[in-house]
């Protein structure tokens, strides 16, 4: 009997089509695996009844020869996506027991339109602020990977830590995630999974809890590049309810899998060769370049001179937008309310109790950089830097570069508790290779490419031209084929 939880999304799709198993069997196998893996804390809400009901309906569609492209395939959903009637919290106490009366566009495309089955809601950093999934009000997520010969619990990365951990541990066939500064790609790299952040505007943001609206994008975390392509097709698309979503046909991303990369020009940015970068990361990067070269691509050194300003500028723009987006949580419209003798006191008490420390820090930074007198010095300046970062990439692409290859993260997964509570800058530095793509609105993919000396997975990142996710998929698969698949040993 096939182990239904170790199938790829593509294999499960084909198995359902061949009637090797039913959607209900697939859902049950995953629900059982979720129960056994509660120690990972990947799910903050399991929805077994709903999953079985959706699976039964999918099986009925199969019997009638009907069903969309994801019919009957069980997925997990980051708790940032509003799911109608099902608790959605952004892993913040302030949302409490909030049950949205609406469904996000992305999840409605996955489940209502394309027939997938929802297993539950996945843990994330509170309001997606973090790089380790330790700021969640539901507690940290545990990475299914451990160092060789060690039982130290490691972080799965963040903010989509629940999505990455669940996909790596076989607790869903694929998951939705969001990426504002690296939250799809960094956790994918920490867990040996594939994370695809599409171009800004490719997916609708409608119904996704907003963090920094000019940077947020939804995308998939999966076990293979092909699976990322399959989910991407269902998640992408124009939505009149999100004015920043782009009206452009959604390609068949899966067709890009296996396409030749011969003659493609791949840029290696000089500025990503950081001082003090671990030798293993440097080696991984060269290895990746070699693999692409062996597949017929041409490697060229490129310069992205404003890279060093990306992280500081991001940590102005993102908190600024967050402080404005989070103003809506006032104890009146959503979730939790704390008492007070007048309305102002009620607001203050609700927000002081409802938000965690990192979220409060972001609100304070954001409010400061937007305040009169400082707006020009900080926010406006950061926006100008952003334009320069974007132009760096445009210059590369204008010179004929098809994609840019970089490490995905500056290290492998670290220990739970190792970086939280200390100097926040240390945590922010995790995003050093990923924030540039968000600042420039470009697509990026993280693909597992090797292991460190302690046996932990490491990822490489490819950044592409706007709306050219397909090239990233073709190149990503070359790395995947060379590096092989990464599966953690089950210890839970
Ligand atoms: N780690 C980054 C931050 O905390 C990015 C998070 C994200 O992409 N949502 O802002």
């Amino acid at each position: 009997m096939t182990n239904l939880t170790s199938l790829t999304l593509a294999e499960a799709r084909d198995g359902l089509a061949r009637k090797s198993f039913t959607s209900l069997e697939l859902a049950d196998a995953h629900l059982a695996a979720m129960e056994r893996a509660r120690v990972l804390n990947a799910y903050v809400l399991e929805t077994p009844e709903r999953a079985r009901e959706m699976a039964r309906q999918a099986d009925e569609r199969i019997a009638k020869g009907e069903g969309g492209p994801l019919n009957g395939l069980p997925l997990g959903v980051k708790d940032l996506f509003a799911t109608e009637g099902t608790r959605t919290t952004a892993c913040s106490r302030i949302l409490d027991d909030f049950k949205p009366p609406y469904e996000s566009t992305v999840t409605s495309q996955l489940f209502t339109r394309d027939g997938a089955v929802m297993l539950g809601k996945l843990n994330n950093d509170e309001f997606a602020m973090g790089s380790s999934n330790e700021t969640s009000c539901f507690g940290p997520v545990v990475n299914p990977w451990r160092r060789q010969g060690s039982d130290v619990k490691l972080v799965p990365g963040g903010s989509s830590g629940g999505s990455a951990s669940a996909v790596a541990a076989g607790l869903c066939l694929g998951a939705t995630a969001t990426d504002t500064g690296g939250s799809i790609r960094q956790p994918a790299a920490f867990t040996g999974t594939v994370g695809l952040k599409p171009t800004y505007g490719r997916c609708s943001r409608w119904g996704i809890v907003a963090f920094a609206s000019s940077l947020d994008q939804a995308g998939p975390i999966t076990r293979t590049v092909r699976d990322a392509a399959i989910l991407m097709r269902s998640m992408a698309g124009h939505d009149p309810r999100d004015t920043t979503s782009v009206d452009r046909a959604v390609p068949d991303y899966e067709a890009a899998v296996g396409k030749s990369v011969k003659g493609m020009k791949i840029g290696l940015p000089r500025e990503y060769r950081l001082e003090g970068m671990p030798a293993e990361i440097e080696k991984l990067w060269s290895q990746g370049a070699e693999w692409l070269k062996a597949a017929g691509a041409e490697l060229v050194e490129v310069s992205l001179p404003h890279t060093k300003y990306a992280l500081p500028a991001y940590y102005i723009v993102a908190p600024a937008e967050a402080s404005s987006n989070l103003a809506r949580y006032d104890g009146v419209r959503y979730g939790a309310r704390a008492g007070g003798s007048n309305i102002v006191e009620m607001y203050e008490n609700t927000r002081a109790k409802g938000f965690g420390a990192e979220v409060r820090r972001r609100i304070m930074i954001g409010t400061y950089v937007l305040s009169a007198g400082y707006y020009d010095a900080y926010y406006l300046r950061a926006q100008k830097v952003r334009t320069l970062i974007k132009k760096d990439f445009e210059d590369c692409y204008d010179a004929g570069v098809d994609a840019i290859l970089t490490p995905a993260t500056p290290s492998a997964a670290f220990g739970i508790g190792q970086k939280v509570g200390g100097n926040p800058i240390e945590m922010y530095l995790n995003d050093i290779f990923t924030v540039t793509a968000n600042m420039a609105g470009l697509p990026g993919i993280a693909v597992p490419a090797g292991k460190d000396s302690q046996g932990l997975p490491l990822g490489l990142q490819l950044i592409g031209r706007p709306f050219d996710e397909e090239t990233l998929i073709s190149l990503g698969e070359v790395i995947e084929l060379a590096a092989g698949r990464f599966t953690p040993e089950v210890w839970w």
Side-chain angles (χ1 to χ4, degrees):
M1 175 73 191
T2 339
N3 180 358
L4 297 180
T5 59
S6 58
L7 296 174
T8 66
L9 197 66
E11 288 164 350
R13 177 187 63 185
D14 301 345
L16 283 176
R18 280 197 313 269
K19 302 207 166 52
S20 305
F21 40 79
T22 66
S23 171
L24 189 58
E25 284 166 344
L26 262 182
D28 277 333
H30 283 88
L31 292 167
M34 286 154 64
E35 219 176 296
R36 285 193 299 272
R38 291 211 177 114
V39 63
L40 300 179
N41 202 23
Y43 281 88
V44 296
L45 183 74
E46 297 176 7
T47 52
E49 286 84 31
R50 181 168 169 176
R52 290 196 185 98
E53 183 48 36
M54 288 171 98
R56 273 186 213 104
Q57 288 171 9
D59 283 329
E60 276 170 30
R61 288 192 294 267
I62 294 172
K64 286 192 241 152
E66 294 169 0
L70 298 178
N71 193 52
L73 299 170
L75 304 176
V77 174
K78 185 176 183 178
D79 207 22
L80 225 60
F81 291 78
T83 41
E84 190 178 348
T86 298
R87 193 188 69 184
T88 302
T89 67
C91 296
S92 178
R93 269 192 302 271
I94 208 155
L95 275 151
D96 194 26
D97 197 27
F98 177 58
K99 294 195 180 78
Y102 46 82
E103 182 82 18
S104 85
T105 299
V106 165
T107 49
S108 87
Q109 288 176 186
L110 292 172
F111 301 115
T112 314
R113 188 191 70 191
D114 291 351
V117 168
M118 184 173 95
L119 294 167
K121 304 297 291 285
L122 293 160
N123 209 336
N124 52 251
D125 276 299
E126 184 177 5
F127 284 107
M129 295 172 190
S131 307
S132 63
N133 213 127
E134 292 171 288
T135 71
S136 163
C137 74
F138 297 101
V141 173
V142 179
N143 192 328
W145 287 87
R146 302 198 290 190
R147 297 186 184 112
Q148 262 153 23
S150 157
D151 59 6
V152 169
K153 290 199 168 81
L154 304 177
V155 303
S159 64
S160 313
S163 306
S165 182
V167 170
L171 314 183
C172 55
L173 291 174
T176 70
T178 61
D179 191 312
T180 304
S183 279
I184 291 177
R185 294 158 288 158
Q186 187 254 11
F190 275 14
T191 55
T193 56
V194 175
L196 175 58
K197 180 204 95 77
T199 313
Y200 184 78
R202 183 68 285 188
C203 291
S204 168
R205 290 182 297 106
W206 196 84
I208 301 174
V209 176
F211 166 7
S213 306
S214 75
L215 300 160
D216 298 344
Q217 262 301 290
I221 294 185
T222 53
R223 289 202 280 272
T224 67
V225 172
R226 179 182 294 273
D227 288 0
I230 294 171
L231 274 193
M232 197 61 246
R233 188 182 183 189
S234 290
M235 293 175 73
H238 177 241
D239 176 8
R241 288 181 296 190
D242 171 6
T243 53
T244 64
S245 88
V246 173
D247 193 359
R248 207 180 153 115
V250 177
D252 176 7
Y253 293 111
E254 204 179 346
V257 178
K259 229 169 126 191
S260 168
V261 303
K262 205 169 253 163
M264 278 190 191
K265 217 166 159 183
I266 311 301
L268 299 171
R270 201 176 302 146
E271 293 77 8
Y272 280 57
R273 200 151 272 125
L274 299 179
E275 215 180 295
M277 186 155 91
E280 321 185 285
I281 303 281
E282 182 86 48
K283 213 177 110 209
L284 181 87
W285 194 9
S286 316
Q287 175 66 265
E290 284 304 317
W291 286 331
L292 295 178
K293 202 165 152 193
E298 182 195 343
L299 280 302
V300 290
E301 193 180 82
V302 296
S303 176
L304 299 167
H306 296 91
T307 297
K308 62 174 176 289
Y309 305 115
L311 199 68
Y314 169 86
Y315 276 97
I316 289 174
V317 174
E321 295 183 12
S323 73
S324 147
N325 274 326
L326 269 53
R328 76 190 70 179
Y329 304 104
D330 54 7
V332 177
R333 281 172 292 176
Y334 307 88
R337 172 185 298 190
S341 55
N342 56 53
I343 190 160
V344 174
E345 218 180 277
M346 187 279 284
Y347 288 159
E348 288 175 354
N349 290 343
T350 300
R351 290 170 66 83
K353 276 208 183 127
F355 292 133
E358 183 59 30
V359 173
R360 291 202 300 271
R361 177 172 16 249
R362 305 278 179 121
I363 292 174
M364 284 189 279
I365 296 172
T367 313
Y368 180 80
V369 299
L370 290 177
S371 58
Y374 293 105
Y375 184 89
D376 292 358
Y378 291 105
Y379 187 68
L380 214 55
R381 199 134 178 224
Q383 290 291 24
K384 286 179 183 163
V385 170
R386 190 170 177 181
T387 306
L388 294 172
I389 293 167
K390 193 157 170 266
K391 191 170 172 300
D392 284 352
F393 282 101
E394 282 164 6
D395 290 346
C396 281
Y397 296 138
D398 285 349
V401 167
D402 294 290
I404 289 167
L405 179 73
T406 80
T409 57
S411 75
F414 45 88
I416 290 181
Q418 196 184 314
K419 291 193 183 181
V420 77
N423 182 351
I425 308 277
E426 227 195 290
M427 190 68 87
Y428 298 171
L429 282 170
N430 267 285
D431 309 323
I432 193 112
F433 298 132
T434 48
V435 288
T436 47
N438 302 78
M439 292 297 264
L442 299 171
I445 192 169
V447 182
K451 285 185 185 168
D452 77 351
S453 60
Q454 299 180 299
L456 297 179
L458 294 169
L460 284 171
Q461 173 183 228
L462 287 151
I463 304 173
R465 297 168 184 264
F467 296 98
D468 191 11
E469 286 79 7
E470 289 152 289
T471 292
L472 301 184
I473 290 166
S474 304
L475 291 164
E477 204 232 2
V478 170
I479 294 177
E480 179 177 63
L481 284 176
R485 286 263 302 279
F486 292 74
T487 311
E489 236 170 77
V490 179
W491 53 266
W492 54 91

